[in-house]
Amino acid sequence: MRLPHAARYRQRFRHGRQSAARKRIRLYSAAVVIAFSAIAALFVSTSLGSKPAPVAQVDTVQQGDSGRTAEAENRASRGGQRTDAQPSPQPSASAGAQPAQSAAAAAPATASPSPTVHTPVGGLTQAEMNNAVTIIKVGQQANLPQRAFVVAIATALQESHLHNLANSNVPESLKLPNEGVGSDHDSVGLFQQRPNWGTVAELMNPAEAARRFYAALVQVQGWEQMAVTVAAQTVQVSAYPDAYAQWQTLAGQIVSAVA
């Protein structure tokens, strides 16, 4: 049975509305599915993109640990090499002491002053003049007056002409530094002193020989007022007591040039 025109119209209208609603639902459903798919894809991609970071960090930490371990082993190896290469029993300086050591090493060494070289006088050689200077310096160190220097120089001029002499009769003296060889009994050195004055090594030392001469001179009562030859003879007890007088003038000249 055919519906009235109005009823058919309403029925088509309802079908149209239902059809449009179904279309909208399908569109909404498709949109929701697409949205969820996009969110899911984004979540998956984000998750996948963030996962390698911890792995990289772990690897970095592991690499840092490995690097530190290798460096520690390398330092230990170098320490062993230093120990093997430097077996010196002397302890090494601490790190705190190194700057002081460097400063000390950088500081220039203080050089000892060179002894004054005096020009020879009175026809002396440089070696003879040097020995005379030694005799005078020893007397100065003992705070003796210049008169003592003149007596000592006159004595050495007579005994050895200011040469540090060895003696052919004293083999030990020949092994020591000397400026010639004499043969008067067992006398040696500048003052030709004998064994009762000291050891051969002591008497062959110009400074020590001079000290021993002065020590004997100051024991002579009134030596300061004596003639040079008398004072020298009293000390030396020579077989030629007047021989020292001939050297008094030259001895005074030497002392004046030095002292």
Side-chain angles (χ1 to χ4, degrees):
M1 182 178 67
R2 295 179 59 88
L3 294 175
H5 178 75
R8 288 199 304 272
Y9 176 79
R10 286 194 297 273
Q11 186 177 19
R12 285 197 300 269
F13 180 74
R14 283 196 300 270
H15 286 311
R17 291 184 63 183
Q18 290 175 357
S19 177
R22 283 195 295 270
K23 288 180 181 181
R24 284 195 297 272
I25 290 173
R26 284 198 295 271
L27 289 174
Y28 292 152
S29 299
V32 170
V33 170
I34 292 172
F36 274 107
S37 298
I39 292 172
L42 178 62
F43 177 76
V44 171
S45 63
T46 302
S47 300
L48 292 176
S50 61
K51 285 181 179 179
V55 175
Q57 292 176 357
V58 172
D59 292 342
T60 302
V61 172
Q62 290 177 349
Q63 289 175 359
D65 293 340
S66 300
R68 285 192 292 270
T69 303
E71 183 180 357
E73 292 176 353
N74 192 22
R75 285 198 300 268
S77 176
R78 289 198 300 270
Q81 291 174 358
R82 286 196 297 270
T83 304
D84 294 339
Q86 300 178 1
S88 172
Q90 298 178 354
S92 59
S94 64
Q98 287 178 358
Q101 288 180 343
S102 300
T110 303
S112 299
S114 301
T116 302
V117 177
H118 293 269
T119 303
V121 298
L124 298 181
T125 65
Q126 188 63 61
E128 293 167 346
M129 189 68 182
N130 292 344
N131 286 332
V133 171
T134 298
I135 293 172
I136 294 170
K137 295 299 184 183
V138 171
Q140 290 174 329
Q141 291 169 1
N143 295 318
L144 296 174
Q146 290 191 12
R147 179 74 172 180
F149 311 160
V150 174
V151 174
I153 295 294
T155 301
L157 282 167
Q158 171 59 30
E159 297 293 350
S160 66
H161 208 277
L162 290 170
H163 291 125
N164 190 29
L165 297 178
N167 192 313
S168 57
N169 300 318
V170 184
E172 183 181 351
S173 69
L174 301 174
K175 301 175 183 178
L176 298 170
N178 63 79
E179 297 164 341
V181 179
S183 59
D184 182 14
H185 300 290
D186 50 8
S187 302
V188 297
L190 291 175
F191 296 91
Q192 289 294 281
Q193 293 160 325
R194 304 189 69 178
N196 60 303
W197 285 80
T199 66
V200 174
E202 290 169 339
L203 304 181
M204 289 287 292
N205 182 314
E208 182 60 31
R211 274 190 287 270
R212 289 171 185 269
F213 178 85
Y214 286 127
L217 177 65
V218 297
Q219 295 299 316
V220 177
Q221 186 69 28
W223 69 269
E224 299 95 329
Q225 290 77 39
M226 292 180 180
V228 170
T229 187
V230 175
Q233 171 61 16
T234 304
V235 174
Q236 294 294 104
V237 191
S238 170
Y240 308 96
D242 299 326
Y244 304 104
Q246 63 180 319
W247 303 108
Q248 182 173 346
T249 301
L250 178 56
Q253 183 182 358
I254 295 170
V255 171
S256 295
V258 177

